[in-house]
């Protein structure tokens, strides 16, 4: 727009005066669509205009005496009131400038209309020309008193590329500020104190930083939960609340240090705090040792053994090698064979992650009679569930020699129906002739080549038409399904060349080794049973 400024009244610098004249003309002459287009930097979202009235424009100027602005505005045809301290934009400007200086507001109605012009006056040295320029804004009144409508208007403006940038409540009006997609700013004014939309809006500016901070400090949570699990805090609280001193004494900890971790975990929902007394929430109760589905060993291994291997993540990225091998000097299953305490922890952690296994028998179409072989069956939990669900079935657990002893004990209740076979699924024959084979959480430990060896070995043991059930956490098409992606990284770090696969990758791998994937049945926490048949 082009405006001729006739007289320079002296109170304002030339550029401020020109900008002010342009703003007055803009407020007087332009449509609401033009005003919105100016801040959206493109086609304005037309539907939102039905709920907005173009109320005026504001401009930031540098002036020694705010009262001088009344005369300046009068020359431009604006009847202005007395200067008064600016509350809402003033707070934001003061915060931005980092100085405890006053920001004055001088407002007036543009002659021949109802639109307002507001001058925000700051002392001359505080803001550069460019900064003052960037503060020019257009104001809209939101018609209607409905919070849902206000939220919708905000959402549409954000979708159109504007950025929420503070707001407040002043003289019965809720004010929401946006930074424009191009230059300038937009202010929404809604009648009344609109607490919820305001809180939502002013919460947005730090959302990005807060998200990043949460991401960066995720390891602190992991370690705090693991420390609570190591100290056995949940077991101590199982009988009811205890105070900090008692917990410290019974865990051999420093009370003042323990209090900090307890408070952090209480804020995260693990414990409940009542002054100095602590109790368990439902989440915290999962860290108890003696409950079904206890997560204690999982918390210990994620915050202990696997936490240390995760420190080698960059090594994996740079060399392609396993971080676990880099940190511990042996591949995981060799490490467990040589370190019984870690092996026990791993078995406990696997068991902690098996609550979902209870649902597996119901998804397997178990035959009334016949034999089930659980390949890499670990502690026998899944086979136990299958044999319980299918009382006419016999079961064989196949796993490495140091594992099958505990499995035999776990399966003892099934008498002669259950047996264990010690062996290596890469080199030894898998027990043959069964009707159903299970490969639960095995494939993700190995690369395609090694999985192919396992699958061929299993296929060699099976008759055509027999069933193979693969239990894994397939990567979904929806990129927001985060767990399979997280475990894909976890497996990269903690196996030799393992990882999660997409369902299509599973299908191809199975097909290449004598199986046809027939069905995928969903389990909680993004796990799934992939049901395949042995083909000719
Ligand atoms: C990730 S755990 C899965 C355990 C169980 N299937 C489950 O879902 O809870 C992998 C299992 O594979 C077994 N395993 C690893 N290497 C093996 C091998 N070469 N031969 C047989 N079993 C093996 C491990 O001992 C362990 O029990």
């Amino acid at each position: 727009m082009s405006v001729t400024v006739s007289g320079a009244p002296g109170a304002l610098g030339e550029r401020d005066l020109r900008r002010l004249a342009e703003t007055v003309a803009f407020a007087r002459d332009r449509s609401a669509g033009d005003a919105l287009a100016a801040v959206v930097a493109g086609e304005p979202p037309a539907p939102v205009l039905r709920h907005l009235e173009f109320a005026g424009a504001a401009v930031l100027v540098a002036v020694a005496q705010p009262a001088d602005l009344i005369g300046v505005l009068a020359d431009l045809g604006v009847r202005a009131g007395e200067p008064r301290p600016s509350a809402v934009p003033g707070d934001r400007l003061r915060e931005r400038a980092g100085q405890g200086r006053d920001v004055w507001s001088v407002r007036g109605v543009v002659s021949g209309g109802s639109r307002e012009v507001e001058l925000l006056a700051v002392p001359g040295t505080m803001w550069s020309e460019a900064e003052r320029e960037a503060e020019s804004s257009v104001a809209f009144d939101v018609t209607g008193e409905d919070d849902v409508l206000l939220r919708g208007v905000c959402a549409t403006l954000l979708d159109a590329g504007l950025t929420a940038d503070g707001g407040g409540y002043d003289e019965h009006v809720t004010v929401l500020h946006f930074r424009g997609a191009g230059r300038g700013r937009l202010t929404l004014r809604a009648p009344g104190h609109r607490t919820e939309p305001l809180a939502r809006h002013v919460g947005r500016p730090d959302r990005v930083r807060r998200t990043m901070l949460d991401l960066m400090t995720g390891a602190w949570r992991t370690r705090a939960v693991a420390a609570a699990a190591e100290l056995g805090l949940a077991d101590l609280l199982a009988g009811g609340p205890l105070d900090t001193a008692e917990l410290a004494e019974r865990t051999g900890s420093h009370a003042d240090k323990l209090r900090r971790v307890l408070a952090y975990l209480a804020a995260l929902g693990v414990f409940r705090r009542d002054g100095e007394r602590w109790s368990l929430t439902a989440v915290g109760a999962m860290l108890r040792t003696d409950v079904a589905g206890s997560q204690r060993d999982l918390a210990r291994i994620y915050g202990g053994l696997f936490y240390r291997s995760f420190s080698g993540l960059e090594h994996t990225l740079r060399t392609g090698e396993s971080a676990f091998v880099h940190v511990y000097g042996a591949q995981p299953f060799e490490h467990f064979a040589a370190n019984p305490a870690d092996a026990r922890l791993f078995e406990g952690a696997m068991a902690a992650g098996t609550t979902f296994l209870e649902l597996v028998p119901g998804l397997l179409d178990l035959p009334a009679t016949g034999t089930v072989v659980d390949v890499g069956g670990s502690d026998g939990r899944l086979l136990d569930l299958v044999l319980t669900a299918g009382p006419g079935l016999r079961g064989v657990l196949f796993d490495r020699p140091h594992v099958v002893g505990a499995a035999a004990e776990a399966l003892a209740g099934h008498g002669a129906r259950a047996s264990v076979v010690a062996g290596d699924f890469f080199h030894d024959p898998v027990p043959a002739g069964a009707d159903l084979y299970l490969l639960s959480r095995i494939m993700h430990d190995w690369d395609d080549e090694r999985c192919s060896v396992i699958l061929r070995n299993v296929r060699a043991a099976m008759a055509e038409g027999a069933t193979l059930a693969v239990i894994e956490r397939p990567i979904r098409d929806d990129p927001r399904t985060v767990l399979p992606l997280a475990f894909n990284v976890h497996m990269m770090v903690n196996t030799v060349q393992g990882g999660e696969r997409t369902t299509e990758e599973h299908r191809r791998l199975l097909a290449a080794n004598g199986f046809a994937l027939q069905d995928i049945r969903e389990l909680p926490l993004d796990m799934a049973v992939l049901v395949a048949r042995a083909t000719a």
Side-chain angles (χ1 to χ4, degrees):
M1 75 192 83
S2 151
V3 173
T4 305
V5 181
S6 51
L12 290 181
E14 199 185 323
R15 279 176 67 179
D16 274 353
L17 187 57
R18 179 176 296 278
R19 214 148 28 82
L20 172 56
E22 289 172 354
T23 303
V24 170
F26 189 87
R28 187 184 56 225
D29 302 335
R30 296 306 182 98
S31 69
D34 285 349
L36 191 55
V39 269
V40 168
E43 199 56 38
V48 88
L49 285 168
R50 280 202 301 276
H51 310 291
L52 298 180
E53 252 169 38
F54 180 26
V59 62
L60 183 69
V61 295
V63 68
Q65 298 295 332
D68 292 348
L69 295 174
I70 299 173
V72 177
L73 281 168
D75 284 354
L76 294 166
V78 178
R79 298 183 310 277
E82 287 296 315
R84 60 185 193 92
S86 168
V88 178
D91 284 346
R92 187 177 57 72
L93 294 171
R94 274 187 293 275
E95 195 178 300
R96 193 175 143 192
Q99 297 179 41
R101 307 294 290 272
D102 282 337
V103 180
W104 292 88
S105 164
V106 181
R107 306 162 85 128
V109 177
V110 179
S111 67
S114 58
R115 292 181 187 151
E116 262 189 3
V117 165
E118 179 177 18
L119 270 73
L120 292 164
V122 292
T125 54
M126 203 164 141
W127 297 78
S128 69
E129 290 275 6
E131 285 171 323
R132 297 204 296 277
E133 179 90 34
E135 284 296 322
S136 293
S137 68
V138 289
F140 289 88
D141 287 336
V142 181
T143 55
E145 306 217 344
D146 184 349
D147 277 2
V148 177
L149 172 72
L150 182 54
R151 279 206 301 270
V153 169
C154 288
T156 309
L157 294 175
L158 294 171
D159 280 350
L162 270 59
T163 312
D165 192 21
Y169 173 68
D170 185 28
E171 288 192 359
H172 314 295
V173 177
T174 297
V175 180
L176 307 177
H177 297 296
F178 295 82
R179 270 198 310 279
R183 287 167 51 203
R185 308 174 54 82
L186 181 145
T187 297
L188 277 190
R189 304 189 313 200
H193 197 171
R194 316 290 279 275
T195 329
E196 197 276 335
L198 179 61
R200 225 174 228 265
H201 188 80
V202 296
R204 282 181 202 276
D206 78 346
R207 193 188 55 189
V208 169
R209 227 177 298 166
R210 189 176 284 270
T211 301
M212 181 44 77
L213 199 55
D214 279 348
L215 289 172
M216 292 186 298
T217 59
W220 303 354
R221 297 169 181 227
T222 306
R223 284 294 303 131
V225 170
E230 285 294 345
L231 292 183
L233 292 174
D235 286 337
L236 292 173
L237 293 171
L242 292 174
D243 64 28
T244 315
E246 230 169 325
L247 280 172
E249 196 193 318
R250 291 172 70 176
T251 56
S253 320
H254 289 260
D256 53 339
K257 304 284 191 276
L258 183 62
R259 184 184 298 105
R260 287 194 210 180
V261 175
L262 284 166
Y264 179 38
L265 289 172
L268 294 172
V270 179
F271 300 114
R272 199 172 293 112
R273 181 175 196 169
D274 180 9
E276 278 298 302
R277 286 178 82 68
W278 307 90
S279 57
L280 286 177
T281 62
V283 173
M286 297 178 97
L287 295 178
R288 285 175 56 181
T289 312
D290 55 350
V291 286
S294 165
Q295 300 292 293
R296 185 177 177 208
D297 282 346
L298 208 50
R300 292 172 62 214
I301 206 165
Y302 284 158
L305 189 85
F306 289 152
Y307 184 83
R308 286 190 286 281
S309 48
F310 249 96
S311 69
L313 178 59
E314 289 89 333
H315 177 83
T316 296
L317 294 174
R318 295 220 164 86
T319 64
E321 292 166 11
S322 157
F324 189 100
V325 174
H326 178 63
V327 170
Y328 293 106
Q331 69 108 315
F333 293 115
E334 303 310 330
H335 174 88
F336 294 133
N339 294 276
D342 283 351
R344 274 199 301 279
L345 178 61
F346 180 66
E347 281 152 25
M350 290 304 293
T354 56
T355 331
F356 71 89
L357 287 181
E358 285 166 17
L359 302 170
V360 172
L363 298 179
L364 286 178
D365 307 327
L366 291 175
T369 59
T371 303
V372 181
V373 175
D374 190 358
V375 180
S378 190
D379 61 359
R381 170 129 174 84
L382 178 57
L383 192 56
D384 175 38
L385 290 164
V386 169
L387 293 180
T388 305
L393 292 171
R394 294 189 320 110
V396 183
L397 184 139
F398 182 79
D399 208 305
R400 289 166 59 112
H402 72 276
V403 176
V404 292
E409 277 174 40
L411 294 167
H414 297 287
R417 289 171 60 214
S419 58
V420 298
V421 173
D424 181 327
F425 48 45
F426 293 115
H427 304 294
D428 299 321
V430 170
D435 307 273
L436 173 62
Y437 285 77
L438 305 175
L439 273 175
S440 171
R441 299 190 288 179
I442 302 296
M443 311 273 282
H444 67 178
D445 287 337
W446 310 100
D447 59 15
D448 284 1
E449 204 179 310
R450 271 173 263 205
C451 279
S452 294
V453 175
I454 299 170
L455 286 171
R456 281 201 296 274
N457 213 353
V458 173
R459 177 67 190 83
M462 293 169 72
E464 190 184 330
T467 305
L468 170 67
V470 173
I471 298 163
E472 290 291 341
R473 189 172 260 130
I475 295 173
R476 313 298 160 121
D477 289 341
D478 181 348
R480 288 165 304 180
T481 311
V482 77
L483 275 182
L485 299 171
F487 277 94
N488 198 24
V489 175
H490 170 75
M491 299 315 291
M492 178 178 86
V493 165
N494 287 305
T495 64
V496 176
Q497 288 295 339
E500 307 297 345
R501 295 177 170 83
T502 64
T503 43
E504 193 44 44
E505 286 167 343
H506 277 294
R507 186 190 305 281
R508 280 205 296 270
L509 191 55
L510 287 163
N513 293 289
F515 296 94
L517 178 60
Q518 294 199 319
D519 199 9
I520 298 170
R521 299 171 187 169
E522 298 291 335
L523 286 164
L525 299 176
D526 302 329
M527 298 288 299
V529 182
L530 295 96
V531 181
R533 294 266 171 249
T535 52

